[in-house]
Amino acid sequence: MISWRKHYKQTLIAIGLLLSTSASIYGQDGDPKNGEKLFKANCTACHALDKQVIGPPLKGVVAKVQEEAGLGTDWLHKWIKDNKALRESGDKYANKIFEDYNKTEMQQFPNLSDQDIDDILAYTTNPPEPEPEKAAETPAATDAGGGAADKTTTNIVIISLLAIAGLLVWILIKLRQLVTLGQSEDLAGLNETRVRSFSEIYQKYHYVGKGILTVLAILATYGIWNWLMWIGVYKGYKPEQPIYFSHKIHAGENKIDCQLCHSSAKYGKVSEIPSMNVCMNCHRTISEYNGKYLEPGKDKAFYDGEIQKIYAATGWDAEKQQYTGKTQPVEWTRIHNMPDFVYFNHSQHVVAGEQAIISSFNKKNPNDKIDVVCKACHGKIDTMNVVQMANDFTMGWCIECHRTTEIDMNNGYNKEYFKNLHDKLKKQYPKDGGKITVDAIGGLECGKCHY
Ligand code: HEC
Ligand code: HEC
Ligand code: HEC
Ligand code: HEC
Ligand code: HEC
Ligand code: HEC
């Protein structure tokens, strides 16, 4: 009874508002389902429902804006459509949150209709219950753009699959009809012999036909399944390499320093795969495997064969101990690969950020500490026989670390670079008791990571 009354009232209010052409004052009138879609497509690069990303958490934002500034959803419409214009018009609250968020610009959305915005606001007011926690764990959900694209592909595949199944059923039914037709008496006027012979063939061989169809269907399902498993999966990606090179044996068992092979990580943007000459520094003398460790399923002969591939590639004649001059390039498959529009620099992290990253990681994972900075991002490579991606390497992942990693203001680099900024930053970031995280030195600025 009570709830009916409530609805009745709401309906009246809604009708009243519609008549006065300002239905949008109540964000709750929107469709949260559609809002969720729009939110995921447009907002998740910078917002989550219940935690800060680049912008503030948006769960219950309608109520928040109402409480903090006495503003209605009409203000939110203006903000979302063109926050810049709103700020420039001198709007107090707009300028306040802009300042609060370190003058990070929110994107403008002139193309969202009032209904779209109502839908999004309805979603932030009434999000479906179990979503946010679980979603954070799957890589697909962290990567908004990719996730949405994968979903569309999945839908296309499912629809095509259904279409194919439908077609097969239709053909079977038609064949059946032909057979019954062939057997029926009132076939008089039709080309009797042809249908007869066809139905005879069908009767004789229909098991074969059905068998072939079944096999085809199984193959198609298997192929499509494999394909589905493959698209959009990056975390855990581990392709087969031309030489079975084990990081566990090199960096783990034999404790070879990462930077002996990936030396360029220190100096620049990339941290290349070592050239064959680097391998030969050791393998000129190490021509066979005599280690205690054997990966299950592999034996000494296997490892020896793989070492021979180094010689084949460099043209090394192990017997005569000289190069023949006949070389073959080894084409390693690249595992990590950021899109072209992203700028990532190893030296900023491996040199300037080294101590900050290690101590922050160890504080967050007290039972799983790391000794080498590389492992904060690449995981425990020294335990992997085959390298695989240990994180999802999305924008959200970069940002999350920049927001939570306190930089080391005393390392040589930052001390010099931020001489005058230090005190100013401390004043600007009193909220965490003076902690200065990477975002304070521009780690959330689009231009730092994007060309
Ligand atoms: C490029 C990043 C970015 C995108 C994309 C983005 N926002 Fe924002 N948003 C921000 C930032 C940053 C702020 C904080 C204010 C500021 O710095 O301008 C903010 C603030 C807001 C606020 C005010 C919150 C408050 O606490 O008062 C709302 C509402 C909002 N965004 C909604 C949206 C919606 C809806 C979308 C998607 C249609 C969206 N934003 C997409 C970055 C973004
Ligand atoms: C003896 C040389 C050597 C050492 C030592 C070594 N690596 Fe490697 N690394 C390689 C080679 C060769 C490849 C390419 C083949 C592969 O992917 O396994 C590679 C690949 C990688 C990749 C993947 C690159 C890509 O394609 O995206 C990462 C990440 C990596 N190494 C990190 C490390 C870390 C971290 C350490 C130290 C714990 C380390 N490496 C120690 C030789 C070495
Ligand atoms: C710093 C010395 C060093 C360098 C550089 C080095 N290796 Fe090795 N490699 C070793 C040692 C030590 C072993 C283990 C030998 C043993 O235990 O008998 C080994 C074993 C191997 C094996 C057999 C085990 C396995 O990992 O499958 C292969 C293959 C191999 N190395 C390939 C390479 C390639 C390719 C490179 C260049 C990218 C390279 N190594 C660079 C020291 C090195
Ligand atoms: C802050 C996170 C981070 C740290 C720390 C880090 N890496 Fe990387 N690494 C990345 C990212 C991101 C990429 C992908 C870069 C790209 O595709 O442009 C990458 C790529 C690589 C590659 C593939 C080749 C390339 O440059 O694209 C190698 C090899 C590598 N890292 C080795 C290392 C080694 C060795 C260390 C430690 C000395 C290390 N990384 C430390 C994030 C990190
Ligand atoms: C494990 C934590 C961590 C991850 C993950 C990480 N960073 Fe960083 N990043 C840092 C730290 C710490 C610094 C500051 C280093 C210093 O003290 O100057 C930094 C600095 C930077 C800077 C320089 C900022 C400035 O204003 O000078 C850029 C650009 C950058 N990172 C890009 C990226 C990109 C792109 C990614 C993701 C592919 C990424 N980072 C992932 C920790 C991280
Ligand atoms: C700390 C580094 C970093 C900062 C700061 C950063 N981005 Fe990104 N951004 C990335 C990385 C890395 C990717 C690639 C993610 C992937 O391939 O999954 C990316 C991807 C994107 C994409 C492609 C969409 C997608 O989901 O793949 C857009 C659009 C984008 N960023 C916009 C922005 C805007 C706008 C800002 C400023 C508010 C910003 N980025 C700040 C690192 C950053």
Side-chain angles (χ1 to χ4, degrees):
M1 188 62 190
I2 290 168
S3 83
W4 181 85
R5 270 217 191 136
K6 237 181 175 170
H7 280 295
Y8 175 71
K9 252 190 177 169
Q10 270 182 351
T11 321
L12 273 188
I13 291 174
I15 291 172
L17 287 169
L18 266 173
L19 288 176
S20 62
T21 69
S22 52
S24 63
I25 291 179
Y26 283 85
Q28 290 87 335
D29 290 344
D31 167 14
K33 270 249 160 69
N34 187 43
E36 178 172 12
K37 266 190 233 147
L38 290 165
F39 184 83
K40 287 191 170 151
N42 295 298
C43 320
T44 45
C46 302
H47 291 287
L49 280 182
D50 38 21
K51 66 173 188 187
Q52 185 183 324
V53 187
I54 290 178
L58 289 187
K59 189 171 179 177
V61 68
V62 176
K64 184 203 151 203
V65 168
Q66 170 70 40
E67 276 162 28
E68 279 190 11
L71 294 163
T73 46
D74 49 340
W75 182 88
L76 283 161
H77 277 246
K78 285 187 209 146
W79 170 268
I80 293 167
K81 278 192 179 154
D82 190 345
N83 72 85
K84 197 163 175 212
L86 189 60
R87 277 189 278 117
E88 280 166 0
S89 77
D91 185 280
K92 253 196 186 158
Y93 183 65
N95 281 295
K96 176 182 174 298
I97 54 175
F98 183 60
E99 294 286 332
D100 286 351
Y101 280 85
N102 208 16
K103 303 196 173 164
T104 312
E105 295 234 3
M106 170 163 146
Q107 199 176 320
Q108 278 127 48
F109 295 95
N111 296 330
L112 289 179
S113 69
D114 283 328
Q115 186 59 52
D116 289 342
I117 294 178
D118 281 339
D119 291 351
I120 294 176
L121 293 176
Y123 170 64
T124 62
T125 307
N126 299 308
E129 284 301 316
E131 263 286 288
E133 290 266 309
K134 266 201 177 154
E137 281 168 18
T138 60
T142 345
D143 171 2
D150 292 348
K151 257 203 193 136
T152 344
T153 0
T154 317
N155 285 343
I156 292 172
V157 170
I158 290 173
I159 290 167
S160 343
L161 208 70
L162 286 178
I164 292 172
L167 202 68
L168 286 179
V169 171
W170 182 78
I171 291 173
L172 278 177
I173 291 173
K174 280 286 150 196
L175 282 175
R176 284 230 137 201
Q177 278 176 356
L178 265 183
V179 173
T180 34
L181 204 62
Q183 287 161 344
S184 75
E185 294 300 284
D186 34 62
L187 204 67
L190 286 175
N191 185 340
E192 217 169 316
T193 45
R194 235 171 67 198
V195 178
R196 268 269 152 72
S197 61
F198 179 66
S199 74
E200 270 163 21
I201 292 174
Y202 178 78
Q203 292 241 307
K204 249 191 193 161
Y205 296 112
H206 74 290
Y207 287 115
V208 181
K210 279 179 183 161
I212 291 174
L213 278 183
T214 315
V215 170
L216 279 181
I218 291 172
L219 279 180
T221 318
Y222 177 74
I224 289 166
W225 174 254
N226 267 344
W227 178 52
L228 275 179
M229 290 289 89
W230 178 70
I231 48 172
V233 176
Y234 299 112
K235 183 172 178 175
Y237 174 53
K238 47 174 194 181
E240 223 171 87
Q241 297 288 12
I243 299 180
Y244 192 84
F245 174 89
S246 161
H247 276 78
K248 184 177 165 64
I249 290 176
H250 289 85
E253 298 286 310
N254 289 289
K255 307 242 173 314
I256 303 171
D257 183 18
C258 314
Q259 299 201 29
L260 184 94
C261 291
H262 302 291
S263 55
S264 44
K266 243 197 173 89
Y267 309 111
K269 201 170 119 31
V270 292
S271 166
E272 286 158 0
I273 306 301
S275 74
M276 282 291 126
N277 294 333
V278 176
C279 314
M280 282 304 283
N281 288 339
C282 296
H283 283 285
R284 198 187 293 239
T285 47
I286 304 173
S287 60
E288 52 185 314
Y289 184 74
N290 293 311
K292 287 194 302 286
Y293 169 79
L294 291 176
E295 187 185 346
K298 308 247 182 302
D299 57 10
K300 175 173 154 51
F302 171 81
Y303 290 127
D304 289 351
E306 296 300 306
I307 294 174
Q308 286 303 318
K309 288 187 188 168
I310 306 176
Y311 299 161
T314 52
W316 176 252
D317 186 329
E319 257 167 38
K320 293 192 189 131
Q321 291 281 304
Q322 64 185 32
Y323 286 105
T324 60
K326 272 188 264 166
T327 59
Q328 292 165 2
V330 172
E331 282 166 13
W332 303 105
T333 301
R334 222 177 134 159
I335 300 162
H336 301 76
N337 210 350
M338 289 276 145
D340 287 344
F341 56 82
V342 176
Y343 174 81
F344 176 82
N345 188 321
H346 267 97
S347 80
Q348 271 166 342
H349 297 88
V350 173
V351 183
E354 182 178 19
Q355 285 314 317
I357 291 177
I358 292 180
S359 57
S360 156
F361 186 95
N362 288 345
K363 228 184 261 168
K364 288 181 215 160
N365 307 280
N367 299 322
D368 210 7
K369 294 191 176 178
I370 53 168
D371 44 357
V372 198
V373 62
C374 322
K375 293 182 190 169
C377 299
H378 293 298
K380 297 210 164 113
I381 294 240
D382 56 353
T383 64
M384 300 178 196
N385 281 302
V386 179
V387 176
Q388 65 175 25
M389 279 177 83
N391 279 297
D392 54 25
F393 290 80
T394 52
M395 176 159 141
W397 173 74
C398 313
I399 301 284
E400 177 63 24
C401 185
H402 284 185
R403 278 194 39 246
T404 54
T405 305
E406 208 177 329
I407 53 174
D408 175 11
M409 271 300 180
N410 294 320
N411 75 22
Y413 177 82
N414 286 335
K415 215 174 183 173
E416 186 56 28
Y417 199 71
F418 296 112
K419 234 185 222 157
N420 304 319
L421 264 176
H422 193 168
D423 290 337
K424 205 176 140 217
L425 283 171
K426 281 226 149 169
K427 267 188 221 134
Q428 209 177 335
Y429 285 80
K431 51 177 177 165
D432 300 328
K435 268 195 209 165
I436 301 174
T437 42
V438 185
D439 49 352
I441 59 166
L444 300 190
E445 280 168 27
C446 319
K448 287 272 168 75
C449 302
H450 293 294
Y451 291 104

